[in-house]
Amino acid sequence: MSQEFVPDDNFSDRPNDGSTVPEQEVVQITVVGSPAAVSETIHTLYRLGFAAVGDWSPPQRGPKPGQVISVLIKRSSRKP
């Protein structure tokens, strides 16, 4: 087999122009409140097309008694 078809594993001499890996913007959205209010908010955001219900973390105990917290992490490509 010819050496010209053997892949070159040394990528350090190749310029990184960013065209293969887009930069991402990361946003974390946190909803805190009663279980009913948190659920209602998540479903409202779903109806608005913001995020799927399953994209949110399961409700966890909140900072105060009777509260829960749920988190959504959204990633989007950053435009140059």
Side-chain angles (χ1 to χ4, degrees):
M1 181 171 162
S2 172
Q3 287 294 354
E4 63 189 295
F5 294 108
V6 176
D8 180 12
D9 291 332
N10 184 5
F11 296 106
S12 62
D13 59 344
R14 296 181 185 175
N16 184 4
D17 61 5
S19 62
T20 58
V21 180
E23 290 189 39
Q24 290 189 338
E25 188 75 33
V26 177
V27 177
Q28 179 176 319
I29 298 94
T30 304
V31 179
V32 181
S34 71
V38 168
S39 179
E40 180 182 338
T41 301
I42 290 171
H43 283 87
T44 299
L45 291 171
Y46 168 72
R47 285 191 300 276
L48 293 171
F50 185 73
V53 173
D55 292 345
W56 290 84
S57 69
Q60 302 293 315
R61 188 174 11 177
K64 295 181 182 176
Q67 288 187 335
V68 295
I69 184 170
S70 187
V71 178
L72 170 73
I73 297 175
K74 286 194 70 125
R75 292 176 176 84
S76 62
S77 297
R78 192 179 327 166
K79 307 271 196 266

